[in-house]
């Protein structure tokens, strides 16, 4: 492989694992909307360090360790005392398991679309509005929606359960590779 | 903790509403229970997917969605930044301004593979894997697979004229493009002379020209925004043909008219195979060259077989087969499995025996170097270090090094041979690339010439006192050194080559540079 082939192999590796990378970073920063920025920062760092990477070795493991470093950096910048952070061992387990997992993001996303259609329109709207960037905290949202935080929390939880149940049913079993 | 409670805590965590006590309970559960972690990933994934979905929703009404999604702007900005960084990192020795580099690569897309592609203008001869140049690119003929960093994969058929404007946007003024758009890149847009196509997933093709154009939706759904009429949605199986004036007619989509990813892959592989068979034909002729002493092709088909045959057909005193020691089978320069030997395992070598006395010599091999780990990295070393014996190796600082021992060392420090070094040719960016190395020892002219990829690296005259006219090889090793006398000095004696080799040629003559260059041209993958 020449330099540009390696370059493009690297690009292919990098683009091919964006979803697992996001999942990993988000699992370390649950609920944090900054995940996206941290992932981009990790991408930039990976690109800068691509000379350190030998093609054919475990790209995900390497990328995840770089991403975790960016997460630590981000936490440092935030310096939020109140933040609850998982122990290092557990974070390492996340990395290993997510790296080993089939990337089913697209299939789940596709299934999710169908499942959202099955919700009552008002439920669907409530749920999706919760996930728009401007929704803010659950409190803000509850206030605007004119509902109690507790009630809203329960409703959202119930809706997510319903969606996950539906997605599971829609997902065709992965065809065994022969 | 039962699953229902656990899931509730996970959602609390994702909503950033969990108490510290609950967090610790959840963490304990996650630490010990794989099912709990699976549930955690699933719910994190769901919240990501919902966020994504919520972000895309308003776009149903506003097809310009990708412009309003900050993540894509961020991604585009990232790649612009990366292109700059890449340009700097890739060309450490160059002092040319970044501006020059920026004007040549757009950082949005890479050329993944091409089949018989002829590019016009600044694109020139692009190598597979190159970043696509900025500005309008013209493919005169042939096929190209282009991958945008958004994940969009395009097959472009020449003649085509296009420009990639961002990872999510391109302009096509002429030619055929088939686009495969993954979920993550929905909203991908192609500007054509008659209007814009916006993808809603997953595969469509456009054939554009100044007079009339066609849009075929192969799968999924697209939005068609003609300049002269209202937007319309089209789904898989539908196609449209429209004229420059605005007239249009519905048709049935026909995917057979557009080359897809599978086909270009197949054609690329076929092209590669053709190059390989061309090389084999050329090689077949070369094997009958009376100057060829040995041709070791390292394609050991049966893993139990530990010999490489000498394919040279004519020499009277023909060196026999080489015996493989430790080296593992590896992919050759054509990507064929088991076509090469990997010499990185300790002790790896191919043992050969070359009878007779020789004058001029040419040695040539195709190698893929992982790294230069040793003080001396062997290409071809005769056993021990006898008078009249040639040594060909690479020094740790990346120079080719050739010598023929002239005399026994009469006293310590006194030279016993002339060492011909090339300038350093190696840097780590060459790691993993297939290279053709060659050295020509010309007794008549009294010169040693080093070659890399068919081109002369250096040529020097051997002082008369050190010119050896009777070269004897005898037992030798490819890729290592067999020398009992130095066995105790590991640094000196361990010379195994950290890399792969798929072919080694030895000629009983000094090949002219034009022939070395021809071998490279016919043999490069």
């Amino acid at each position: 492989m020449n330099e540009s082939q390696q370059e493009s192999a690297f690009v292919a590796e990098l683009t091919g694992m964006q979803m697992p990378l996001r999942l990993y970073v988000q699992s370390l920063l649950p609920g944090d909307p900054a995940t996206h920025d941290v992932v981009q920062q990790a991408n930039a760092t990976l690109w800068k360090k691509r000379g350190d990477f030998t093609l054919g070795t475990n790209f995900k493991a390497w990328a995840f360790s770089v991403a975790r470093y960016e997460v630590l950096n981000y936490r440092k910048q935030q310096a939020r005392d109140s933040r609850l952070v998982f122990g290092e061992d557990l974070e390492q387990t996340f990395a290993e398991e997510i790296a080993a997992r089939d990337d089913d993001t697209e299939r789940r996303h596709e299934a999710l679309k169908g499942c959202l259609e099955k919700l009552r329109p008002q439920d669907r709207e409530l749920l999706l509005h919760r996930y728009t960037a401007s929704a803010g905290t659950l409190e803000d949202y509850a206030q605007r929606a004119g509902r109690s935080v507790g009630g809203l929390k329960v409703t959202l939880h119930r809706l997510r359960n319903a969606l996950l149940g539906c997605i599971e049913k829609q997902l065709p079993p992965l065809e065994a590779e022969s | 903790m039962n699953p229902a409670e656990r899931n509730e805590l996970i959602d609390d965590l994702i909503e950033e509403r969990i108490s510290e006590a609950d967090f610790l309970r959840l963490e304990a559960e996650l630490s010990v229970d794989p099912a709990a972690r699976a549930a955690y990933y699933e719910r994190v994934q769901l919240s990501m997917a919902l966020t994504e979905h919520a972000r895309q929703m308003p776009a149903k009404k506003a097809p310009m969605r990708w412009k309003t999604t900050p993540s894509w702007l961020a991604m585009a900005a990232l790649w612009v930044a990366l292109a700059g960084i890449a340009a700097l990192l890739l060309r450490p020795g160059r002092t040319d301004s970044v501006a020059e580099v920026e004007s040549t690569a757009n950082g949005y897309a890479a050329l993944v593979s091409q089949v018989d592609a002829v590019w016009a203008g600044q694109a020139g001869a692009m190598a597979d894997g190159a970043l696509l140049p900025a500005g309008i690119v013209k493919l005169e003929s042939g096929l190209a697979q282009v991958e945008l960093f958004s994940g969009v994969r395009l097959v472009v058929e020449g003649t085509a004229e296009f420009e990639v404007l961002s990872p999510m946007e391109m302009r096509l003024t002429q030619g055929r493009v088939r686009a495969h758009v993954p979920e993550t890149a929905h909203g991908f847009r192609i500007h054509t002379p008659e209007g814009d196509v916006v993808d809603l997933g997953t595969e469509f093709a456009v054939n554009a020209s100044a007079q009339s154009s066609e849009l075929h939706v192969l799968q999924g759904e697209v939005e068609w925004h003609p300049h002269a009429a209202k937007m319309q949605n089209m789904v898989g199986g539908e196609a449209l043909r429209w004229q420059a004036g605005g007239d249009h007619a519905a048709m049935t989509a026909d995917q057979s008219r557009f080359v897809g990813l599978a086909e270009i892959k197949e054609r690329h592989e076929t092209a590669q195979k053709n190059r390989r068979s061309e090389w084999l034909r050329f090689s077949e002729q070369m094997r009958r060259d009376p100057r060829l002493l040995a041709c070791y092709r390292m394609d050991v088909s049966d893993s139990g077989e530990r010999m490489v045959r000498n394919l040279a057909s004519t020499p009277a005193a023909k060196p026999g087969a080489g015996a493989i020691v430790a080296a593992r089978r590896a992919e050759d320069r054509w990507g064929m499995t088991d076509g090469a030997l990997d010499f990185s395992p300790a002790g790896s070598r191919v043992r050969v025996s070359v009878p007779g006395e020789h004058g001029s010599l040419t040695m040539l091999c195709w190698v893929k170097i992982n790294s230069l780990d040793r003080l001396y990295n062997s290409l071809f070393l005769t056993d021990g270090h006898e008078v009249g014996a040639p040594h060909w190796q690479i020094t740790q600082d990346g120079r080719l090094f050739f010598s023929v021992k002239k005399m026994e060392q009469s006293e310590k420090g006194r030279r016993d041979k002339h060492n011909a070094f090339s300038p350093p040719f190696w840097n780590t960016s060459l790691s993993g690339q297939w290279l053709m190395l060659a050295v020509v020892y010309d007794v008549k002219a009294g010169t040693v010439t080093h070659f890399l990829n068919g081109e002369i690296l250096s040529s020097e005259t051997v002082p008369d006192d050190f010119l050896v006219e009777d070269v004897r090889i005898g037992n030798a090793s490819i890729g290592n050194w067999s020398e009992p006398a130095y066995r105790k000095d590991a640094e000196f004696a361990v010379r195994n080559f950290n890399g792969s080799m798929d072919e080694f040629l030895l000629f009983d003559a000094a090949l002219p540079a034009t022939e070395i260059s021809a071998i490279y041209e016919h043999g490069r993958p």
Side-chain angles (χ1 to χ4, degrees):
Chain A
M1 260 199 289
N2 61 33
E3 196 172 280
S4 61
Q5 280 172 317
Q6 287 192 13
E7 193 91 321
S8 102
F10 186 90
V11 166
E13 289 271 19
L14 189 61
T15 50
M17 64 154 309
Q18 287 299 303
M19 289 300 150
L21 186 66
R22 276 175 63 182
L23 176 57
Y24 176 56
V25 171
Q26 187 80 75
S27 75
L28 301 190
L29 300 169
D32 196 322
T35 293
H36 189 83
D37 298 336
V38 177
V39 169
Q40 295 300 11
Q41 185 55 47
N43 276 331
T45 307
L46 287 166
W47 185 258
K48 269 191 265 182
K49 292 189 167 185
R50 69 197 187 291
D52 302 350
F53 178 71
T54 314
L55 283 170
T57 57
N58 192 337
F59 187 85
K60 271 187 195 162
W62 176 66
F64 282 14
S65 67
V66 169
R68 179 155 184 279
Y69 182 77
E70 294 301 339
V71 168
L72 296 180
N73 259 347
Y74 168 73
R75 284 178 184 152
K76 221 183 291 169
Q77 285 163 17
Q78 295 303 103
R80 272 162 59 181
D81 303 332
S82 59
R83 179 175 288 284
L84 299 164
V85 172
F86 291 124
E88 200 178 326
D89 287 351
L90 183 56
E91 292 194 342
Q92 186 53 40
T93 307
F94 287 170
E96 284 159 17
E97 287 184 345
I98 291 172
R101 210 166 173 266
D102 283 325
D103 178 17
D104 55 358
T105 312
E106 273 201 34
R107 297 163 68 233
R108 284 181 168 271
H109 202 150
E110 213 43 59
L112 172 66
K113 280 183 193 163
C115 293
L116 279 168
E117 294 304 315
K118 291 183 188 159
L119 293 181
R120 294 184 307 171
Q122 64 265 38
D123 284 343
R124 184 165 60 236
E125 204 172 318
L126 178 80
L127 190 67
L128 287 174
H129 271 119
R130 176 69 197 109
Y131 287 93
T132 55
S134 53
T137 63
L138 195 63
E139 277 85 357
D140 298 339
Y141 185 54
Q143 208 167 23
R144 273 186 287 115
R147 312 232 340 220
S148 77
V149 175
L152 192 59
K153 201 181 92 168
V154 170
T155 306
L156 289 170
H157 179 63
R158 189 178 50 75
L159 289 174
R160 280 188 286 250
N161 281 346
L163 282 178
L164 282 171
C166 170
I167 289 172
E168 282 310 313
K169 260 183 253 155
Q170 295 227 344
L171 278 186
L174 276 175
E175 276 174 50
E177 304 240 339
S178 54
Chain B
M1 195 185 294
N2 66 42
E5 189 190 356
R6 174 197 73 201
N7 290 344
E8 212 170 312
L9 290 185
I10 291 175
D11 275 9
D12 285 352
L13 173 65
I14 294 172
E15 287 275 15
E16 298 193 281
R17 287 192 49 79
I18 197 167
S19 71
E20 190 168 352
D22 281 343
F23 179 82
L24 294 174
R25 286 172 61 216
L26 179 62
E27 186 181 19
E29 192 78 8
L30 290 173
S31 298
V32 298
D33 185 1
R37 291 194 294 275
Y40 179 58
Y41 305 143
E42 233 173 50
R43 297 182 96 86
V44 169
Q45 231 178 352
L46 176 68
S47 77
M48 283 165 58
L50 284 166
T51 307
E52 188 65 27
H53 199 85
R55 202 164 60 74
Q56 286 186 358
M57 263 199 326
K60 280 276 181 228
K61 291 153 212 151
M64 301 293 280
R65 93 180 74 158
W66 61 271
K67 272 196 173 162
T68 60
T69 51
S71 73
W72 266 112
L73 288 181
M75 191 68 176
L78 167 76
W79 281 112
V80 172
L82 290 183
I85 298 165
L88 288 174
L89 294 178
L90 283 174
R91 294 165 180 81
R94 279 174 60 167
T95 49
D96 308 20
S97 66
V98 177
E100 186 229 21
V101 176
E102 277 175 352
S103 72
T104 59
N106 73 18
Y108 298 137
L111 175 67
V112 175
S113 71
Q114 48 191 333
V115 179
D116 305 327
V118 179
W119 301 90
Q122 57 160 325
M126 267 193 291
D128 285 2
L131 289 177
L132 214 63
I136 295 166
V137 181
K138 194 163 182 195
L139 177 65
E140 296 280 9
S141 62
L143 293 175
Q145 185 185 339
V146 173
E147 222 164 278
L148 275 61
F149 294 141
S150 54
V152 173
R153 287 183 288 175
L154 306 172
V155 177
V156 184
E157 290 175 65
T159 308
E161 205 174 284
F162 64 101
E163 181 176 7
V164 176
L165 303 165
S166 84
M168 288 294 278
E169 188 181 17
M170 72 178 286
R171 189 189 314 281
L172 176 71
T173 38
Q174 193 198 351
R176 288 161 194 262
V177 165
R178 180 159 166 176
H180 179 89
V181 184
E183 174 90 11
T184 47
H186 286 181
F188 170 69
R189 172 179 292 243
I190 298 185
H191 302 277
T192 76
E194 301 306 315
D196 292 1
V197 187
V198 177
D199 173 84
L200 303 176
T202 57
E203 198 172 1
F204 67 95
V206 180
N207 180 7
S209 77
Q211 294 75 39
S212 72
S213 297
E214 288 177 22
L215 166 61
H216 294 240
V217 184
L218 306 176
Q219 214 177 27
E221 191 177 354
V222 306
E223 288 172 358
W224 165 235
H225 301 262
H227 296 320
K230 274 172 65 180
M231 188 275 276
Q232 74 180 92
N233 274 68
M234 293 169 60
V235 296
E238 292 182 341
L240 259 187
R241 179 188 175 85
W242 67 96
Q243 310 287 336
D247 295 339
H248 59 269
M251 304 165 32
T252 308
D254 181 2
Q255 64 173 12
S256 68
R257 290 181 41 211
F258 299 89
V259 174
L261 290 170
E263 190 180 341
I264 193 173
K265 180 168 180 280
E266 199 184 302
R267 282 163 72 165
H268 186 254
E269 281 169 4
T270 308
Q272 183 95 335
K273 268 192 201 130
N274 288 344
R275 283 198 60 77
R276 182 171 178 271
S277 11
E278 252 174 64
W279 164 246
L280 292 178
R281 268 197 298 280
F282 179 84
S283 178
E284 187 67 34
Q285 257 177 353
M286 199 167 57
R287 282 162 54 183
R288 291 194 287 269
D289 186 328
R291 299 168 301 172
L292 185 68
L293 272 179
C295 169
Y296 294 111
R297 204 175 293 144
M298 313 290 180
D299 55 345
V300 189
S301 49
D302 174 5
S303 60
E305 188 186 350
R306 299 297 285 169
M307 303 294 277
V308 279
R309 282 183 305 137
N310 179 5
L311 300 175
S313 52
T314 47
K318 179 172 152 178
I324 302 166
V325 180
R328 275 190 304 245
R329 298 197 295 168
E331 215 171 68
D332 71 7
R333 66 186 190 268
W334 313 100
M336 308 283 283
T337 47
D338 301 339
L341 286 175
D342 172 10
F343 287 82
S344 59
S348 291
R349 70 197 64 201
V350 171
R351 298 282 296 142
V352 298
S353 183
V354 182
E357 285 193 3
H358 310 277
S360 297
L361 282 182
T362 297
M363 289 194 257
L364 186 152
C365 62
W366 285 92
V367 291
K368 186 179 78 173
I369 303 171
N370 300 332
S371 60
L372 299 173
D373 303 337
R374 317 291 182 195
L375 214 48
Y376 300 101
N377 303 272
S378 162
L379 293 169
F380 184 89
L381 297 180
T382 58
D383 288 5
H385 202 192
E386 306 298 325
V387 170
H391 275 190
W392 186 32
Q393 46 204 332
I394 312 172
T395 60
Q396 196 159 30
D397 63 351
R399 299 160 190 266
L400 286 168
F401 171 20
F402 179 83
S403 65
V404 183
K405 189 164 173 177
K406 175 69 181 176
M407 61 198 88
E408 290 300 342
Q409 210 170 29
S410 54
E411 56 195 78
K412 211 169 166 57
R414 196 186 138 85
R415 284 171 59 201
D416 54 2
K417 60 183 181 299
H418 175 75
N419 295 332
F421 293 102
S422 77
F425 71 93
W426 170 258
N427 61 62
T428 49
S429 77
L430 294 176
S431 173
Q433 286 188 38
W434 281 96
L435 309 172
M436 193 187 90
L437 305 176
V439 64
V440 174
Y441 178 61
D442 188 335
V443 171
K444 220 163 138 193
T447 54
V448 174
T449 309
H450 289 293
F451 291 83
L452 169 67
N453 290 342
E455 286 180 20
I456 296 179
L457 278 172
S458 65
S459 187
E460 66 184 272
T461 306
V462 181
D464 287 346
D465 299 353
F466 289 97
L467 188 68
V468 178
E469 293 183 347
D470 299 319
V471 177
R472 285 183 295 268
I473 297 174
N475 293 337
S477 292
I478 296 171
N480 211 328
W481 194 25
S482 305
E483 172 43 88
Y486 295 96
R487 196 182 277 155
K488 284 183 186 141
D489 184 352
E491 186 184 41
F492 198 60
V494 175
R495 296 190 182 186
N496 73 305
F497 169 72
N498 180 8
S500 302
M501 188 184 295
D502 67 2
E503 199 155 15
F504 184 93
L505 304 173
L506 175 63
F507 292 88
D508 192 12
L511 263 57
T514 49
E515 284 190 45
I516 303 279
S517 160
I519 294 174
Y520 174 71
E521 284 308 324
H522 282 96
R524 72 194 166 97

